Amino acid sequence: RSTLFPYTTLFRSPYRSHLKIVFAQSAREGDRVIELLDTSRARGVRITADVYPYLAGYGDLSLLYPPWAKTREEWNRVIATDRARLETYLRDRIVKRGGADSILLADPPYANQTLQALAQARMLPPEKVVIDVLGFGGPNAAHFIMRADVQDRLITWNHAAISTDGGPWVRHPRSWGTYPKVLQEYVRERKLMTLSEAVRKMSSLSAEIVGLAQRGRIREGYFADIVVFDASTVYSNATWAQPAQAPSGIDHVIVNGCVQVENARLSAQHCGKVLRKKQPS
């Protein structure tokens, strides 16, 4: 976390960082973060960032818990001895994180319900739902805690690569929809970046940051990693209710010279492999 921006998440390494601001109050906060990063780069710090194009983070409901009730043992003890204090903390924490409507539950049987909708259905306040209905840990949820105007500034920063911050185990549309969403929304619909800049952020810049040799460009001697898409129709179909949806407008995907997707259909071939950063000799 930045000392200048207490709710700015900046996971640092010598070369890259996962960057977002939660609970931002104005777009100016995004501008100030970019100014800070640019100033650092001007001093010779090789810092970049990766950003995903969604306004919600992802995690279970322990993100709402107080520091004194993080383990199951602590949780059960507080419920037995100081429940009123826990309810007050949860109520205030939910409000601080944007309200119960800003928490979208992701796991069955509550998938695609907000905490507010579940509270209304059970005729209970949200804090009691967290304790009595969902229980310790609770389901995973999307937490809408970021501002669009701040996100726009971060994702369009010249040194910010596009990242999913996801995986097949994360029920968040970013795991399946990140790259088509950037092409659809930030390039075609809102025109916040050019097509070539978006492609750079999703290919060569990412490869450079991570240190992957012979990746990220179509060039002689490089591995043949190629995505063929229609810039006028590419569209992310991943939703909060059904995140694992393939995009539209991506016709062919070639990985290591092997055809993985042909005519928008996944082939039976196994083309990918684990990539490791090239170590200095």
Side-chain angles (χ1 to χ4, degrees):
R1 288 173 183 263
S2 164
T3 55
L4 180 59
F5 310 100
Y7 299 109
T8 300
T9 304
L10 185 60
F11 299 112
R12 288 188 175 90
S13 79
Y15 303 105
R16 65 188 184 274
S17 61
H18 177 58
L19 178 64
K20 64 183 177 183
I21 303 177
V22 299
F23 312 136
Q25 299 300 307
S26 73
R28 177 59 184 151
E29 293 183 41
D31 294 333
R32 291 171 65 200
V33 168
I34 297 304
E35 290 167 5
L36 177 65
L37 296 177
D38 282 337
T39 299
S40 296
R41 287 185 62 86
R43 293 201 311 265
V45 179
R46 293 192 294 166
I47 187 167
T48 57
D50 61 80
V51 186
Y52 58 81
Y54 292 88
L55 302 180
Y58 186 86
D60 65 26
L61 296 186
S62 66
L63 292 170
L64 303 174
Y65 298 175
W68 31 269
K70 287 291 189 183
T71 68
R72 185 180 293 275
E73 181 181 2
E74 291 170 339
W75 176 264
N76 290 338
R77 183 173 63 250
V78 169
I79 288 177
T81 63
D82 204 359
R83 178 177 172 125
R85 181 186 176 204
L86 177 61
E87 288 188 6
T88 298
Y89 184 97
L90 290 174
R91 182 166 57 250
D92 293 344
R93 180 76 169 163
I94 290 168
V95 170
K96 182 177 181 180
R97 292 178 67 86
D101 259 338
S102 296
I103 300 172
L104 183 67
L105 306 176
D107 294 335
Y110 309 110
N112 207 38
Q113 291 186 64
T114 64
L115 178 58
Q116 180 65 27
L118 181 59
Q120 291 175 341
R122 297 299 181 99
M123 294 185 289
L124 293 170
E127 63 272 16
K128 290 185 182 292
V129 170
V130 170
I131 296 172
D132 298 320
V133 178
L134 302 176
F136 179 79
N140 288 305
H143 299 255
F144 289 83
I145 51 178
M146 292 176 278
R147 288 175 60 104
D149 50 7
V150 171
Q151 190 78 358
D152 289 348
R153 284 153 170 77
L154 301 182
I155 203 169
T156 55
W157 184 49
N158 187 49
H159 304 288
I162 307 301
S163 165
T164 67
D165 193 39
W169 58 89
V170 179
R171 268 189 66 89
H172 187 302
R174 70 190 184 207
S175 297
W176 293 268
T178 287
Y179 302 111
K181 179 178 172 67
V182 168
L183 296 170
Q184 167 202 334
E185 179 181 335
Y186 285 82
V187 175
R188 187 175 68 240
E189 296 175 352
R190 301 178 61 203
K191 297 179 172 54
L192 293 181
M193 65 179 79
T194 65
L195 177 60
S196 60
E197 177 66 0
V199 170
R200 182 186 75 88
K201 285 172 170 286
M202 295 186 283
S203 55
S204 62
L205 179 59
S206 299
E208 290 168 7
I209 291 171
V210 178
L212 300 178
Q214 297 175 287
R215 299 280 178 178
R217 289 183 171 86
I218 300 176
R219 178 179 293 176
E220 185 177 354
Y222 275 50
F223 291 90
D225 299 330
I226 301 171
V227 178
V228 180
F229 62 91
D230 186 339
S232 66
T233 62
V234 64
Y235 189 86
S236 173
N237 295 309
T239 66
W240 295 103
Q242 296 181 303
Q245 301 298 310
S248 304
I250 297 179
D251 299 317
H252 309 285
V253 178
I254 300 170
V255 180
N256 296 316
C258 167
V259 178
Q260 188 68 81
V261 174
E262 186 172 14
N263 296 321
R265 292 182 178 274
L266 187 67
S267 74
Q269 301 185 81
H270 298 285
C271 301
K273 64 180 182 179
V274 175
L275 300 180
R276 301 189 185 279
K277 179 179 179 179
K278 182 180 180 181
Q279 298 298 320
S281 56

